[in-house]
Amino acid sequence: MIRNSQQLASFLMLFCLLIFIQSIVNYANAKIISSVKPIGFIAEAIASGVSDTDILLPDGASPHTYYLKPSDLAKLKAAVLVIWVGEDMEAFMPTILKNIDKQKQIELMTIPEIKGLLRTSHEDEDNHSHDESIQDHHQHGEYDEHIWLSPKIAKIIAQSIHDRLITLYPDKSALIDQNLREFNIKLAETEQNIAKKLITVQNRGYFVFHDAYGYFETQFGLKKLGSFTINPAVQPGVQKVYAIQQELKEHKAVCVFREPQFSPAVIEKLVDGTDVRIGELNPLGTGIVLSKDSYSQFLLKLTQQLLDCLDKN
């Protein structure tokens, strides 16, 4: 009986020790988790030297269609802070976040200062009277949630992350303040740089296959003519190809921008018989390494992708 009691006590002590060790490991692994990479770029700039950061979605994944893995769930549960856009962008998040403390998450679409700057999903449809069968209707809600493509909104996101980190790490407030100042200075320089670079192509019209760039286009005065709905996995039919070719010719488009998921053969088929050039845009920062300056690098890379196609004579 005594031996059994000693064994039970030893087992309980070992069990408690394992729980304690696991809690330490979880704490050590606790990071600031951002749903998509460009939001993660902003978080890294503000949290640099304060907390580790990580990004939920891997390169190449779409926030519209992503399915969480068990490792993702573990990341979210262990996170010190989760930053995401909104339920129309990341439909998989609300159910998971119900079980996570509200103080440990920031839903960007609910921030009042951001709400005042949102574009409605149908703004481009109001500006362009394109054929219903061609026009892009893939938007998932009332507002355009690709908010990371607005430098103005990025500044608000940075401030919101700063404010939350001050409450989480009050002993590191000076560093968090400094990170925010440096981010804002770098962002202002980047905006000026981009405005100068893009001024030469503001009158060159183009089409896109993913209507994600409205905030960026509006801020820098670009001339997007419209967008087309094409399923990357399905070859467009003859009528669709002809309709797109007519649109490109009618509106004197200089470029059509695809994204990495589109096969070159499909796009070449669509521009065949026109003078339209093919460019590639990436709204999710694929290939950019997480660093303090990665948000500016992301905007500059997007700018260069636009110039590579639009600025050719």
Side-chain angles (χ1 to χ4, degrees):
M1 183 72 179
I2 293 172
R3 189 174 177 185
N4 287 342
S5 298
Q6 287 174 334
Q7 285 177 332
L8 181 60
S10 298
F11 174 77
L12 289 172
M13 284 180 65
L14 180 61
F15 182 71
C16 291
L17 181 61
L18 287 172
I19 290 176
F20 177 68
I21 290 169
Q22 186 61 49
S23 67
I24 290 173
V25 170
N26 286 344
Y27 182 77
N29 290 337
K31 296 177 180 178
I32 296 167
I33 305 294
S34 300
S35 59
V36 293
K37 212 168 183 183
I39 301 299
F41 295 156
I42 302 170
E44 175 62 25
I46 308 307
S48 180
V50 177
S51 170
D52 288 337
T53 67
D54 201 357
I55 294 152
L56 196 62
L57 269 67
D59 273 359
S62 166
H64 301 308
T65 57
Y66 188 67
Y67 287 97
L68 290 170
K69 302 189 292 291
S71 58
D72 296 327
L73 297 175
K75 268 187 193 178
L76 290 169
K77 286 177 181 175
V80 68
L81 181 63
V82 178
I83 308 164
W84 61 298
V85 179
E87 60 184 24
D88 287 327
M89 176 61 67
E90 307 107 330
F92 57 86
M93 288 288 269
T95 305
I96 303 305
L97 293 178
K98 275 181 188 174
N99 302 318
I100 293 177
D101 185 349
K102 286 281 185 186
Q103 291 305 306
K104 290 188 174 183
Q105 51 179 292
I106 300 175
E107 183 182 355
L108 298 172
M109 289 293 285
T110 65
I111 296 171
E113 294 85 353
I114 289 177
K115 282 184 175 179
L117 295 174
L118 293 175
R119 302 173 72 255
T120 57
S121 293
H122 52 77
E123 276 186 45
D124 287 319
E125 292 169 34
D126 293 341
N127 295 333
H128 307 290
S129 55
H130 296 141
D131 189 311
E132 284 282 324
S133 66
I134 303 172
Q135 184 65 34
D136 185 348
H137 290 286
H138 87 287
Q139 297 289 358
H140 295 262
E142 183 183 354
Y143 295 104
D144 180 353
E145 296 206 349
H146 301 88
I147 54 176
W148 59 84
L149 284 156
S150 165
K152 289 177 183 174
I153 293 177
K155 192 172 179 180
I156 299 168
I157 293 171
Q159 182 69 54
S160 300
I161 295 170
H162 162 278
D163 295 348
R164 190 64 61 89
L165 291 187
I166 290 287
T167 64
L168 290 170
Y169 302 100
D171 56 323
K172 295 185 178 178
S173 59
L175 178 55
I176 299 165
D177 287 344
Q178 181 185 332
N179 285 346
L180 180 65
R181 279 194 301 272
E182 289 175 1
F183 176 82
N184 286 335
I185 290 167
K186 183 75 175 177
L187 182 58
E189 289 172 354
T190 302
E191 285 182 87
Q192 289 176 357
N193 191 2
I194 291 171
K196 285 177 187 173
K197 284 175 180 286
L198 292 178
I199 198 166
T200 58
V201 297
Q202 285 178 329
N203 293 319
R204 300 194 179 177
Y206 61 91
F207 282 81
V208 293
F209 284 89
H210 182 191
D211 195 12
Y213 309 95
Y215 292 106
F216 190 88
E217 290 160 344
T218 300
Q219 178 157 345
F220 296 107
L222 296 173
K223 190 180 178 182
K224 187 187 77 179
L225 298 170
S227 54
F228 302 123
T229 305
I230 295 287
N231 182 339
V234 180
Q235 286 277 347
V238 174
Q239 286 184 317
K240 184 81 165 181
V241 170
Y242 178 76
I244 288 176
Q245 288 173 341
Q246 292 307 111
E247 280 279 282
L248 294 172
K249 289 175 182 176
E250 181 186 339
H251 293 279
K252 297 183 173 63
V254 174
C255 290
V256 60
F257 288 101
R258 68 184 183 93
E259 289 181 25
Q261 69 267 32
F262 290 103
S263 80
V266 170
I267 307 300
E268 284 166 12
K269 186 177 180 181
L270 295 174
V271 301
D272 187 40
T274 75
D275 295 324
V276 178
R277 294 188 289 269
I278 300 168
E280 183 173 298
L281 294 176
N282 189 325
L284 287 170
T286 303
I288 296 174
V289 177
L290 198 60
S291 73
K292 204 170 183 180
D293 293 330
S294 50
Y295 183 70
S296 287
Q297 291 168 13
F298 163 62
L299 294 180
L300 288 167
K301 184 175 181 179
L302 193 67
T303 301
Q304 192 57 51
Q305 288 174 324
L306 285 159
L307 290 170
D308 286 345
C309 192
L310 293 173
D311 203 25
K312 289 179 180 174
N313 294 319

